Amino acid sequence: MKTVTRLIKKVLETQRLSKQEIVRLLWAKDTEKAELTAAADTRRRTVFGDGVHLRGLIEFSNQCGQRCTYCGLQAGNGILSRYTMTAAEILAAAATAHDLGYRTIVLQSGQHPDMPAAKLAQLINRIKKQWPDMALTLSIGERSLEHYRRFRTAGADRYLLKQETTNERLYRQLHPQSDYNNRLQCAWNLQALGYQLGSGHMVGLPGQTAEDIADDLLFFQALNADMVGIGPFIPHPATPLADAPRPDLALVEKTVALARLLLPRSHLPATTSVESLAPQGRKAVLQAGANVVMPNVTPLCYRRDYQLYPGKAGVEQAARRLQESVETELKSIGRFSAPGRGDAPGALATIGGMPHEL
Ligand code: SAM
């Protein structure tokens, strides 16, 4: 039996691969790659069926106190015009998401240095009271345990906090103001508070190796992440990494496929960054194990200013148009938008649970 066929058989049977085995699969080319993504696609269908969960993304503030060397929102980017949506604007965007049938909204922002926890908790509470059938995900970076508790008590269901890379040396280079272990502790705190936790990383970071990607995947597995956001790094001209190369779509597809095989029950989004990397990127990843899309419902007047990376897909399209194009794409590959909140399959077991130990 060929090595790749043997490794795929092993992970299908045991959900286990060693670091070196993952690296071998990350090197897969042509027919080997096709075999890997097909196995992941079948796994996705067995676990989740053909429904794709749509989550309405509200990019409510681009204020950020961090200086992450890859991100267009980093505090040193003085050309960006900064905004924070008002509570009324956020509520209107949530209403749009609900009207479009989305049963999850994701409130995302930079790591806003002065966003008061009380104000945000009040807003979460209003959204959850108005739309009790809608799940709420926060993605606002590192905060204290106390703040996470307040948001959870106010009704937040899920939290997306990507580790970005598990290579600590690389992490320090990319995040001069942030501490690797604090980010990790934040993830554990969120799990301890009963949030459904999303982790994730960027693929193709300058200095990142296949071994690093393998370590990341093993980390997501050990963390038992309910969601894993895997996106390509795209260089932004107003950052220190402006001249770094873009990764190949194929590497992103293989990473998503491996995530599906190692974490069969985790939600895996086809990220906006993969759509921005290549026109067929989203479709390719949806056929390599992904089962979630996060269409943007941020008001059009703010979209351009939430510029994480250049050429971000969908900045000109109103929420309804974006939904239509997602639905058309899903139909073209035999998929459809799934009803309901799309909670993590194991979520109820973790609510109120203890931190996972790595
Ligand atoms: N501030 C929050 C945090 O720290 O978790 C929310 C997310 S942050 C604003 C946006 C996400 O976009 C990051 O987690 C990162 O993975 C991604 N991102 C930022 N710059 C990027 C780039 N140049 N290419 C690809 N993805 C990027």
Side-chain angles (χ1 to χ4, degrees):
M1 195 187 288
K2 286 186 302 177
T3 307
V4 164
T5 310
R6 182 176 56 76
L7 294 179
I8 292 172
K9 188 166 179 289
K10 174 182 169 182
V11 69
L12 284 172
E13 285 169 4
T14 64
Q15 289 170 40
R16 298 265 162 222
L17 286 173
S18 70
K19 178 172 168 179
Q20 283 319 314
E21 288 168 338
I22 296 173
V23 170
R24 171 65 186 87
L25 290 171
L26 285 169
W27 288 120
K29 289 219 163 48
D30 306 324
T31 52
E32 289 181 348
K33 179 195 150 226
E35 196 179 335
L36 175 65
T37 52
D41 196 37
T42 305
R43 191 58 143 185
R44 182 270 311 154
R45 188 174 305 115
T46 311
V47 178
F48 290 103
D50 285 329
V52 173
H53 293 289
L54 305 188
R55 326 279 203 203
L57 176 64
I58 306 174
E59 298 161 333
F60 71 94
S61 173
N62 69 356
Q63 300 278 359
C64 193
Q66 300 299 106
R67 288 181 184 264
C68 309
T69 56
Y70 48 84
C71 184
L73 304 193
Q74 52 110 357
N77 181 1
I79 334 166
L80 197 64
S81 112
R82 303 281 171 173
Y83 72 89
T84 298
M85 287 165 60
T86 63
E89 286 173 324
I90 297 171
L91 285 166
T96 302
H98 195 267
D99 287 350
L100 290 172
Y102 304 154
R103 290 298 174 265
T104 298
I105 52 164
V106 182
L107 293 184
Q108 193 181 75
S109 70
Q111 200 158 301
H112 194 319
D114 329 297
M115 168 69 66
K119 203 172 145 194
L120 191 53
Q122 201 181 23
L123 182 72
I124 293 167
N125 194 259
R126 276 183 74 181
I127 292 173
K128 291 295 292 186
K129 280 216 169 95
Q130 194 154 344
W131 299 284
D133 58 344
M134 193 157 70
L136 191 147
T137 304
L138 278 181
S139 177
I140 61 170
E142 296 167 41
R143 305 286 291 236
S144 66
L145 174 67
E146 201 36 52
H147 286 186
Y148 286 154
R149 195 192 310 280
R150 280 179 93 154
F151 303 145
R152 178 89 181 110
T153 307
D157 304 280
R158 308 179 191 146
Y159 205 104
L160 171 60
L161 186 79
K162 291 165 70 171
Q163 193 65 30
E164 313 296 3
T165 174
T166 56
N167 176 329
E168 283 192 53
R169 188 184 38 78
L170 183 58
Y171 186 93
R172 277 197 298 276
Q173 283 168 18
L174 298 171
H175 307 94
Q177 285 181 308
S178 166
D179 177 58
Y180 181 86
N181 289 315
N182 188 56
R183 195 145 180 107
L184 199 54
Q185 185 62 53
C186 283
W188 290 334
N189 288 348
L190 290 161
Q191 279 184 324
L193 290 166
Y195 283 90
Q196 295 170 45
L197 179 71
S199 188
H201 67 164
M202 278 172 286
V203 169
L205 288 163
Q208 185 186 50
T209 63
E211 281 75 12
D212 292 333
I213 296 177
D215 279 336
D216 292 351
L217 288 166
L218 291 170
F219 165 79
F220 303 141
Q221 198 180 37
L223 188 65
N224 198 14
D226 296 301
M227 196 271 245
V228 183
I230 296 168
F233 157 72
I234 301 178
H236 189 294
T239 64
L241 299 179
D243 298 325
R246 291 170 176 234
D248 285 339
L249 174 60
L251 181 60
V252 186
E253 287 175 77
K254 286 181 278 186
T255 308
V256 171
L258 279 160
R260 171 55 65 224
L261 294 171
L262 289 164
L263 297 104
R265 286 153 62 84
S266 298
H267 289 296
L268 300 181
T271 59
T272 309
S273 54
V274 82
E275 194 189 343
S276 312
L277 179 73
Q280 295 298 308
R282 186 170 64 192
K283 214 189 235 186
V285 164
L286 281 168
Q287 293 176 293
N291 70 317
V292 169
V293 173
M294 290 160 59
N296 207 320
V297 294
T298 310
L300 275 175
C301 59
Y302 296 123
R303 295 262 188 99
R304 278 180 177 282
D305 292 328
Y306 202 81
Q307 206 199 71
L308 303 167
Y309 43 81
K312 190 159 160 249
V315 288
E316 302 288 357
Q317 286 171 294
R320 190 167 294 280
R321 286 264 318 281
L322 276 180
Q323 187 198 34
E324 284 163 6
S325 65
V326 173
E327 298 278 3
T328 307
E329 188 165 281
L330 293 182
K331 210 168 160 198
S332 75
I333 53 172
R335 310 278 281 278
F336 57 89
S337 53
R341 294 173 21 138
D343 283 299
L348 288 178
T350 67
I351 289 173
M354 295 303 289
H356 291 271
E357 282 181 3
L358 286 180

